[in-house]
Amino acid sequence: MTEEQLSSNHPPLPPTTEEDRFSWLRLLRSRKVGPATFRRLLREHGSAQNALAALPEMARAAGIEGYEICPPGVIEAELKAAKAAKARLLCLGSADFPAALSDLNDAPPMLWAIGDVSLLQKPAVAMVGARNCSSLGARMARGLATDLGSKGYVIVSGLARGIDTAAHIATLTSGAIAVMAGGVDVVYPVENTELAHDIASNGLRVSEQPMGVTPQARHFPRRNRIISGLAQAVVVVEAAAKSGSLITARDALDQGREVLAVPGHPFDARAAGCNLLIRDGAILVRSAEDVVEALPHKDNLPSHRPQQPPTPVAHPAQDLHIQILERLGPSPIAEDQLLRDIAASAGELGPALVDLELDGRIQRQPGGLLSLAG
């Protein structure tokens, strides 16, 4: 690795004053500034303030007319919202920023956190899987999460329906971290509002998105790299052949993390992704012991008494998912036609379509049409 690459990967010096933190946020929230660009700008200009001053001219040189950096009022509003939500800002390079993320090339420069940030310094395992999981899949997730929690591991997941929910519920007392696709103060799906509150009280919620942001489909793949990045390994419990869980597994491989999967019946589409992962070299998981055996430094972990997994919550949205999948076929139909056919409101249909699209079960066609994924 060259000296320039090493410099590029080294975390920047963290902000030390409120003014510095304000400038960091303002730079990151400016248009066309993502994590990699943020780090490059700090490296080239020495500080966020200098980078902000240079941005308009850099944009003009790149052919972008009328470029404006993020207005101060936007950051003031975000900080006000964070204070109301009791959210804490963690900055790359600072002592409280998760060390597991620091060396990633696309590490988030800042994370908003609500809850116990000390969990970020403990050994962690990520657990992901299908939103429309089977009862056996949910039971497996609860069992694995409970056993891993009793062995001293924090469980990281994404607060989605299904496997994520089962894993979070099982580890509320041993250590649960929820990585959110939208703002850390915006719970999605809404039926997990009480669970999100419990995680904030007993575990930790984190997000790289601005406060108040409602999650969009494009946010979830970005969120997944943080789920895998925080953990030593990713365990996939149930996943379709094309799903967000496999994106997380791919991120884990790119980040040098272990990938493990629970096998399933070949006729069950919800197990297809896991079976593919195992075929391609993922470690097969039958119990928590299989996970622990695959992890480094397993002998140095604290021991905790096992906790009884709480009662799982119901997922009423699954009925709507089933209705959508039964109505769609290989021939695309218009979204408004689907809305009429299943007699759902637009507010109910939109989130359900996002879930199914992320799970790889439906796909959008040109002209606003929908069909089953091929």
Side-chain angles (χ1 to χ4, degrees):
M1 183 176 287
T2 67
E3 183 177 346
E4 180 180 356
Q5 288 172 317
L6 287 170
S7 174
S8 173
N9 290 337
H10 194 278
L13 293 176
T16 56
T17 67
E18 290 300 321
E19 182 181 1
D20 288 340
R21 279 185 280 274
F22 192 97
S23 297
W24 268 46
L25 267 177
R26 195 177 177 197
L27 179 60
L28 188 61
R29 303 302 186 229
S30 292
R31 189 160 57 101
K32 295 189 178 297
V33 178
T37 301
F38 179 93
R39 291 175 76 152
R40 179 174 61 82
L41 289 171
L42 283 191
R43 190 171 69 250
E44 292 176 354
H45 298 279
S47 71
Q49 291 93 331
N50 292 342
L52 285 166
L55 262 181
E57 180 55 40
M58 293 173 61
R60 278 193 294 272
I64 303 173
E65 298 297 332
Y67 182 90
E68 294 182 359
I69 61 179
C70 179
V74 171
I75 304 305
E76 290 167 359
E78 182 170 355
L79 292 171
K80 182 178 179 180
K83 184 176 181 180
K86 298 181 180 179
R88 177 175 171 182
L89 187 63
L90 311 180
C91 298
L92 182 64
S94 63
D96 55 8
F97 192 86
L101 292 182
S102 296
D103 293 333
L104 302 183
N105 291 329
D106 57 353
M110 286 169 283
L111 289 171
W112 282 115
I114 300 178
D116 183 5
V117 297
S118 71
L119 292 177
L120 293 170
Q121 308 306 327
K122 296 182 178 181
V125 173
M127 192 170 295
V128 297
R131 289 169 172 79
N132 63 324
C133 67
S134 66
S135 59
L136 280 176
R139 194 169 100 190
M140 185 68 174
R142 288 194 300 272
L144 285 174
T146 300
D147 291 346
L148 288 169
S150 73
K151 297 176 186 299
Y153 291 95
V154 172
I155 299 299
V156 184
S157 199
L159 198 63
R161 300 180 182 98
I163 297 301
D164 290 20
T165 294
H168 285 317
I169 290 175
T171 53
L172 284 175
T173 55
S174 60
I177 297 178
V179 185
M180 304 174 71
V184 74
D185 56 337
V186 179
V187 178
Y188 177 86
V190 291
E191 62 259 33
N192 275 353
T193 298
E194 184 176 351
L195 175 59
H197 175 77
D198 291 341
I199 292 173
S201 299
N202 302 291
L204 181 67
R205 289 168 20 204
V206 297
S207 175
E208 68 176 329
Q209 295 296 332
M211 302 294 297
V213 167
T214 300
Q216 305 294 320
R218 68 180 184 277
H219 295 149
F220 289 87
R222 298 291 297 163
R223 183 275 309 269
N224 292 348
R225 85 191 195 285
I226 299 177
I227 293 176
S228 57
L230 286 173
Q232 294 178 336
V234 171
V235 179
V236 185
V237 178
E238 280 186 341
K242 297 179 181 178
S243 67
S245 299
L246 297 195
I247 295 175
T248 310
R250 187 164 60 246
D251 287 338
L253 290 173
D254 291 342
Q255 295 163 345
R257 275 52 170 171
E258 293 288 350
V259 174
L260 306 93
V262 175
H265 195 284
F267 288 167
D268 188 348
R270 288 170 295 201
C274 292
N275 292 339
L276 285 172
L277 288 172
I278 294 169
R279 183 199 67 182
D280 293 339
I283 298 171
L284 186 148
V285 173
R286 300 160 298 176
S287 66
E289 283 68 30
D290 290 330
V291 180
V292 174
E293 280 297 318
L295 300 176
H297 313 303
K298 56 182 178 291
D299 295 328
N300 298 325
L301 293 171
S303 178
H304 300 280
R305 287 185 301 170
Q307 301 289 338
Q308 189 70 22
T311 303
V313 297
H315 306 301
Q318 288 184 1
D319 290 340
L320 182 56
H321 292 178
I322 293 170
Q323 291 181 56
I324 293 170
L325 293 171
E326 288 178 344
R327 178 64 188 86
L328 292 179
S331 300
I333 65 171
E335 186 171 333
D336 57 352
Q337 178 64 49
L338 177 65
L339 196 66
R340 290 192 294 271
D341 288 347
I342 63 176
S345 69
E348 294 171 328
L349 183 65
L353 291 176
V354 170
D355 287 341
L356 293 171
E357 186 178 4
L358 289 169
D359 272 342
R361 309 193 74 191
I362 67 171
Q363 57 188 10
R364 296 184 183 273
Q365 307 285 358
L369 301 178
L370 299 164
S371 68
L372 288 178

